[in-house]
């Protein structure tokens, strides 16, 4: 029987034992330096990932937990100011806007690609190769994997997945299964 509070208690107890062992092994000066710099950030990261892993929070809620933890840490280190908060909000908004423009550009590209008949040469090439459904799946996943090196996941999904989608019916492949494979591959 799995119980989240018991598991968290074990984790806290193990952390305490590890901390005492480190104090004994490293000495007081090194332990204090670690306790004031490394451990708080590690605790923040582990709390965000732990909230997701133990099912306490969704990734979005865990991001909010991380934000609150970062604000608390900044206040504890006495480096929280209105200017820094304003700058971080601006940088977050700028990054979100860049991601949204990636979606817009990718959508425009894929729409024009489809309108000009760009899918047809690919469909002709696949028909000429005449692969089995398994070989087709492996080939598409290898292509997506290689594209993952220079491109972000947004461009791959919005630009290249629509190229493969019309071919799924030809090979009698379930689109949901194909989507799950792509999501796993991109991760």
């Amino acid at each position: 029987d799995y119980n989240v509070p018991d598991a968290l208690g074990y984790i806290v107890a193990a952390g305490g034992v590890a901390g005492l062992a480190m104090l004994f092994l490293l000495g007081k000066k090194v332990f204090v330096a670690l306790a004031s710099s490394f451990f708080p950030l590690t605790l923040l990261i582990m709390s965000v990932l732990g909230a997701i892993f133990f099912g306490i929070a969704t990734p979005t809620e865990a991001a909010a937990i991380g934000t609150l933890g970062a604000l608390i840490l900044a206040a504890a280190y006495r480096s929280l100011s209105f200017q820094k908060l304003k700058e971080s909000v601006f940088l977050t908004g700028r990054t979100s806007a860049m991601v949204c423009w990636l979606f817009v550009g990718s959508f425009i590209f894929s729409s024009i690609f489809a309108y000009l008949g760009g899918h047809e040469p690919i469909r002709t090439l696949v028909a000429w190769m005449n692969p089995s459904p398994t070989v087709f799946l492996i080939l598409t996943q290898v292509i997506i994997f290689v594209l993952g090196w220079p491109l972000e996941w947004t461009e791959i999904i919005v630009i290249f997945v629509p190229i493969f989608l019309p071919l799924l019916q030809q090979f009698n492949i379930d689109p949901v299964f194909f989507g799950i494979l792509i999501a796993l591959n991109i991760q």
Side-chain angles (χ1 to χ4, degrees), residues 114-144:
Y115 179 74
L116 294 176
H119 296 267
E120 198 54 43
I122 295 170
R123 184 177 301 178
T124 305
L125 175 68
V126 170
W128 174 77
M129 290 172 48
N130 195 20
S132 68
T134 305
V135 171
F136 172 75
L137 278 176
I138 291 171
L139 180 66
T140 58
Q141 296 306 311
V142 166
I143 290 170
I144 288 172

